[in-house]
Amino acid sequence: MRQSLETPLSKVKRGPNRAQYDAETAFRIIDNTLMCHVGQSKNGQVFVTPTCHWREGEYFYWHGHAKARNIKAPIDDAEKVCINLCQLDGLVLARSAMHHSVNYRSVTLFGVPELIEDTEEKVRQFKIFLDKVSPGRWDALRPINDIEIKATGLLRIKIEEASIKVRAEPPVDDPDDNDWPVWAGVVPLQQQWGPLEQDPIQTELFDTPTPPDAF
Amino acid sequence: MRQSLETPLSKVKRGPNRAQYDAETAFRIIDNTLMCHVGQSKNGQVFVTPTCHWREGEYFYWHGHAKARNIKAPIDDAEKVCINLCQLDGLVLARSAMHHSVNYRSVTLFGVPELIEDTEEKVRQFKIFLDKVSPGRWDALRPINDIEIKATGLLRIKIEEASIKVRAEPPVDDPDDNDWPVWAGVVPLQQQWGPLEQDPIQTELFDTPTPPDAF
């Protein structure tokens, strides 16, 4: 049986027909996406922070300055954060304003973050992160040092309470409107990595990096 | 004098050198972005919801099903939501893992949402929204009806408490690392609207829609 991420908290109330709870599908969307939005509260105020993320096995990781609010506050509060990642895939133009929509892949995760403090494990995770951003790059870099490891806060949640929403289809209009004389369909969003822009202070030519598969 | 959106809540603590608070800059990023992430809490749990947004003057608008949590809860709670919108512009590949980054344009807004209930004003706003998504399309659509207007919840906040963060430059490494022999620079992210995909049930040819300037 496939692992389900459905819980009372992660269960989708609106548009449940587009909801999924399958761990493998969540993993795939997480791996294909570079940035997420972390929602947390501090002293009763909600904050939403965009940041990069990565995954290893059943764990979802993100990092930040060790003293930053989005690293410290979730640990201090020990409350469940809510993280969303959403890839916009296209505009859905219908025959009525009401049925306009977007095609997208979205994952919403809940969990109490865990702070990873072990130095070796932190370095191992940073390498996994860098391999996502630019495969094979880690070994070519100036090696990481203790000050940098200490200054970087590393959080993770287990991917066990989440929902997935996906829309990937043409407009769905009221049947009576299907003959309405206006163009209807999808405007797909295309993303790709453009020509590399080498640092202008670098005059030598080096092997160029491999861009990621994720966006 | 240009209007500043800085308040004790919106003031950026980490990376303040990349922060701005100018309303015109916030407006431009808001207008160039289709989707945002709305953070709110309900019964002590934070939720982050991706949704489309638009702007008129000093007001930031979003909508949803009138009975959806992300429409009802902010009104019930009368608490400040936090909304972030972030455009990823490129990967910044440095000579050390620590100085890797991304180029981006990000706006974070705070405000207590106001529910717009006046029917005429709702319709006027939905038209502004549609003009952002596909300029000139509104008049060609099957006209909106009362049931649809009632079923759609419309929220807004005044754009008066916000921060902007922008990174748009090559890597900034430790000066001692500038000669490290690895390619460094920016991998730019390119986005465009792809070839239109007409609804397969539509056999007639119609004037094709104009895609938006925003992504």
Side-chain angles (χ1 to χ4, degrees), chain B residues 7 22 34-35 57 82 118 123 127 134 139 163 175 195 205-206 213:
Chain B
T7 68
D22 166 50
L34 286 174
M35 296 197 76
C82 176
D118 180 78
V123 173
K127 181 174 185 311
S134 182
D139 291 332
S163 63
L205 288 176
F206 295 106
D213 295 325

Side-chain angles (χ1 to χ4, degrees), chain B residues 155-169:
Chain B
L155 296 182
R156 73 174 186 182
I157 56 172
K158 193 168 184 189
I159 304 166
E160 57 187 354
E161 180 159 40
S163 63
I164 303 149
K165 282 187 88 171
V166 174
R167 192 192 193 287
E169 56 174 344

Side-chain angles (χ1 to χ4, degrees), chain A:
Chain A
M1 204 190 98
R2 298 162 93 194
Q3 191 199 338
S4 172
L5 307 172
E6 184 177 336
T7 69
L9 181 60
S10 73
K11 189 175 169 60
V12 171
K13 278 98 188 169
R14 284 290 139 197
N17 57 318
R18 301 206 185 279
Q20 304 173 47
Y21 301 94
D22 165 52
E24 290 299 327
T25 306
F27 293 169
R28 202 168 56 238
I29 297 172
I30 290 166
D31 293 349
N32 286 334
T33 307
L34 286 174
M35 296 196 77
C36 66
H37 281 76
V38 180
Q40 49 165 97
S41 70
K42 188 184 175 183
N43 304 330
Q45 174 61 54
V46 175
F47 294 92
V48 177
T49 310
T51 191
C52 292
H53 66 266
W54 68 100
R55 180 182 71 88
E56 185 189 36
E58 292 183 292
Y59 287 92
F60 180 100
Y61 292 84
W62 68 104
H63 78 321
H65 193 287
K67 293 184 178 163
R69 177 176 57 210
N70 65 322
I71 298 298
K72 280 175 59 102
I75 297 303
D76 293 346
D77 291 5
E79 282 177 2
K80 277 185 188 169
V81 299
C82 175
I83 300 174
N84 176 269
L85 41 129
C86 184
Q87 277 288 347
L88 177 63
D89 290 326
L91 304 174
V92 180
L93 304 186
R95 295 146 182 97
S96 61
M98 178 82 176
H99 287 291
H100 278 63
S101 186
V102 290
N103 279 340
Y104 61 90
R105 291 157 290 149
S106 171
V107 177
T108 301
L109 302 151
F110 297 92
V112 177
E114 177 188 355
L115 185 69
I116 310 293
E117 297 186 273
D118 179 78
T119 299
E120 268 181 51
E121 177 59 13
K122 285 174 80 169
V123 173
R124 203 177 66 81
Q125 286 301 331
F126 298 152
K127 181 174 184 311
I128 292 172
F129 178 27
L130 225 112
D131 273 340
K132 178 182 178 185
V133 174
S134 182
R137 186 169 175 80
W138 180 268
D139 291 332
L141 298 177
R142 188 267 290 152
I144 195 165
N145 63 44
D146 286 345
I147 295 170
E148 293 171 336
I149 298 166
K150 201 166 264 187
T152 309
L154 175 61
L155 296 182
R156 74 173 185 182
I157 56 172
K158 194 170 183 187
I159 304 167
E160 56 188 353
E161 179 160 39
S163 63
I164 303 150
K165 282 186 89 172
V166 174
R167 192 193 194 286
E169 56 175 345
V172 180
D173 272 290
D174 296 333
D176 286 353
D177 292 334
N178 280 342
D179 291 331
W180 191 269
V182 65
W183 189 94
V186 172
V187 188
L189 178 61
Q190 296 179 333
Q191 291 186 306
Q192 69 270 325
W193 300 107
L196 297 176
E197 299 168 357
Q198 190 170 13
D199 188 343
I201 69 168
Q202 205 168 49
T203 49
E204 221 176 317
L205 289 176
F206 294 106
D207 288 346
T208 51
T210 308
D213 295 325
F215 288 104

